[in-house]
């Protein structure tokens, strides 16, 4: 069989460990990876993909997506980056052309919202869902969208990811100025950083922080993270009714997404498997324990 590492950006790149074969074969298992806010497919290709076992390489096709407006994906100025826009991009880039009849989903942070929306739409095709630090807030009188904005984009300076979300959400004009100065000239800043640190390359997480536009980040924050929060109850109910296998992983020191979010999922999906990893935060739940996390995923795909 053929193992593929596919990253969706302006083009589709396929890398295989097999010499030949049909990558669209029905016997191949498919896994779609979705990254979080101010991130890219590198979150997976630099952590999980290098640690995949030989057995999985020969039986699974791994698809890592650069979500619309992030990483190397297109960043159209006339797009509002709604949940529907992100879903359509994944459908047009992966599900339709590769005729995916079944697939597993793995998502981190903001990507969890998109993953749940995708899974609810293709509930008969999804074999399993693994959510890492999902921003889920049950419906309340205050409203899920408002709660998500307050919890995930509160005015704070630390940690950096939370500060970035806050800055993009509350200070639109300042955020636009920063993006014009930094994001538009990200290659120049990366060269300067290489000279200052005397390193050949810049860490992928640092690169990802500038691989977007103000338009794509601001609208995604409000239309997906906040706007999508009000639909998550419906998504989870659909998946619970369809008995889709759902696993949730989060670090007990996550200061970006409250740990209560993972525990809240069990109220909607009692069968969900919740794993709170000690001494890890929003990113170190994956980064720093790549091998253990990859083995965890492989076990969930096969059981």
């Amino acid at each position: 069989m053929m193992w593929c590492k596919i990253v969706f950006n302006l083009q589709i790149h396929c890398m295989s460990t097999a010499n030949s074969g049909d990558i669209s074969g029905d016997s191949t298992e498919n896994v779609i990876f979705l990254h979080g806010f101010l991130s890219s497919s590198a979150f997976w290709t630099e952590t999980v993909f290098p640690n995949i076992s030989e057995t999985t390489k020969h039986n699974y096709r791994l698809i890592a997506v650069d979500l619309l407006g992030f990483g190397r994906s297109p960043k159209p100025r006339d797009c509002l980056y709604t949940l529907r826009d992100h879903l359509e991009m994944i459908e047009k880039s992966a599900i339709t052309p590769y005729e995916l009849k079944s697939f597993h989903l793995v998502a981190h942070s903001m990507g969890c919202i998109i993953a749940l929306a995708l899974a609810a739409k293709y509930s008969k095709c999804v074999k399993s869902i693994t959510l890492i630090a999902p921003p889920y807030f049950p419906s309340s009188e205050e409203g899920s969208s408002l709660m998500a904005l307050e919890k995930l984009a509160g005015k704070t300076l630390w940690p950096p990811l939370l500060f970035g979300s806050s800055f993009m959400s509350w200070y639109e004009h300042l955020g636009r100025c920063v993006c014009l100065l930094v994001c538009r000239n990200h290659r120049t800043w990366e060269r300067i950083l290489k000279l200052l640190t005397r390193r050949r390359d810049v860490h992928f997480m640092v690169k990802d922080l500038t691989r977007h536009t103000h338009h794509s980040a601001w609208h995604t924050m409000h239309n997906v993270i906040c706007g999508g929060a009000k639909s998550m109850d419906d998504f989870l109910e659909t998946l619970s009714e369809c008995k889709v296998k759902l696993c949730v992983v989060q670090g007990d020191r996550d200061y970006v997404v409250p740990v209560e979010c993972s525990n809240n999922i069990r109220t909607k999906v009692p069968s969900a498997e919740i794993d709170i990893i000690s001494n890890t935060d929003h990113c170190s739940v994956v980064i720093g324990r790549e091998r253990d996390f990859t083995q965890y995923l492989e076990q969930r795909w096969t059981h």
Side-chain angles (χ1 to χ4, degrees):
M1 286 186 189
M2 178 173 283
W3 174 68
C4 295
K5 179 173 73 174
I6 304 173
V7 179
F8 292 99
N9 37 66
L10 294 176
Q11 296 180 341
I12 296 176
H13 303 279
C14 182
M15 297 175 64
S16 172
T17 57
N19 294 322
S20 62
D22 179 9
I23 63 172
S24 60
D26 292 337
S27 57
T28 302
E29 294 271 1
N30 303 293
V31 187
I32 299 176
F33 291 81
L34 304 178
H35 62 79
F37 189 61
L38 302 184
S39 187
S40 78
S41 57
F43 187 84
W44 306 113
T45 60
E46 296 290 330
T47 58
V48 172
F49 285 25
N51 290 285
I52 291 292
S53 67
E54 290 300 319
T55 301
T56 299
K57 287 181 181 181
H58 289 287
N59 291 282
Y60 286 78
R61 175 168 50 190
L62 308 181
I63 302 171
V65 179
D66 272 346
L67 292 172
L68 190 65
F70 297 91
R72 290 175 289 173
S73 276
K75 302 166 180 64
R77 295 175 61 88
D78 59 347
C79 178
L80 293 179
Y81 297 89
T82 63
L83 195 52
R84 178 179 294 180
D85 291 328
H86 285 285
L87 290 182
E88 288 181 352
M89 177 268 188
I90 296 170
E91 290 172 330
K92 292 177 181 178
S93 300
I95 295 177
T96 300
Y98 285 91
E99 300 179 352
L100 301 186
K101 298 177 181 178
S102 67
F103 51 87
H104 301 269
L105 280 169
V106 180
H108 177 246
S109 196
M110 178 197 75
C112 296
I113 301 174
I114 300 173
L116 287 175
L118 187 66
K121 185 173 182 178
Y122 292 89
S123 57
K124 294 182 179 180
C125 301
V126 178
K127 303 188 71 172
S128 75
I129 309 169
T130 304
L131 305 178
I132 299 90
Y136 169 58
F137 301 95
S139 297
S140 63
E141 295 182 358
E142 297 179 4
S144 299
S145 296
L146 180 60
M147 185 176 295
L149 180 63
E150 293 176 346
K151 293 276 189 177
L152 304 177
K155 296 179 180 180
T156 181
L157 296 176
W158 192 264
L161 281 175
L162 196 56
F163 170 71
S165 299
S166 174
F167 195 80
M168 284 296 177
S169 300
W170 296 99
Y171 307 102
E172 181 180 357
H173 297 297
L174 288 175
R176 183 178 289 109
C177 291
V178 170
C179 284
L180 286 172
L181 177 63
V182 178
C183 297
R184 180 173 291 185
N185 303 295
H186 62 85
R187 289 187 177 85
T188 300
W189 290 107
E190 287 170 14
R191 293 191 194 99
I192 294 173
L193 192 57
K194 288 179 185 178
L195 290 173
L196 293 176
T197 59
R198 296 182 180 180
R199 293 184 177 180
R200 286 186 175 183
D201 202 4
V202 177
H203 193 276
F204 72 89
M205 290 188 69
V206 176
K207 289 182 180 180
D208 288 345
L209 288 174
T210 60
R211 297 293 179 92
H212 61 85
T213 64
H214 176 267
H215 185 78
S216 65
W218 193 88
H219 283 286
T220 297
M221 179 69 200
H222 286 275
N223 294 332
V224 175
I225 298 179
C226 297
K230 60 187 178 183
S231 301
M232 288 188 71
D233 278 336
D234 293 336
F235 299 152
L236 288 170
E237 286 177 7
T238 297
L239 297 174
S240 182
E241 292 173 1
C242 295
K243 297 181 180 180
V244 176
K245 182 179 179 180
L246 178 61
C247 303
V248 180
V249 183
Q250 189 167 9
D252 65 344
R253 296 182 179 180
D254 193 331
Y255 300 111
V256 177
V257 174
V259 178
E260 67 188 72
C261 289
S262 290
N263 293 322
N264 287 339
I265 288 182
R266 187 176 279 132
T267 63
K268 279 292 178 183
V269 187
S271 62
E273 178 182 326
I274 312 296
D275 290 307
I276 306 300
I277 311 301
S278 61
N279 301 317
T280 59
D281 58 27
H282 194 66
C283 292
S284 64
V285 70
V286 175
I287 300 172
R289 54 186 301 273
E290 295 89 348
R291 183 171 297 178
D292 289 342
F293 180 76
T294 303
Q295 291 177 353
Y296 172 91
L297 289 178
E298 292 178 327
Q299 291 173 2
R300 297 308 172 276
W301 297 337
T302 56
H303 291 85

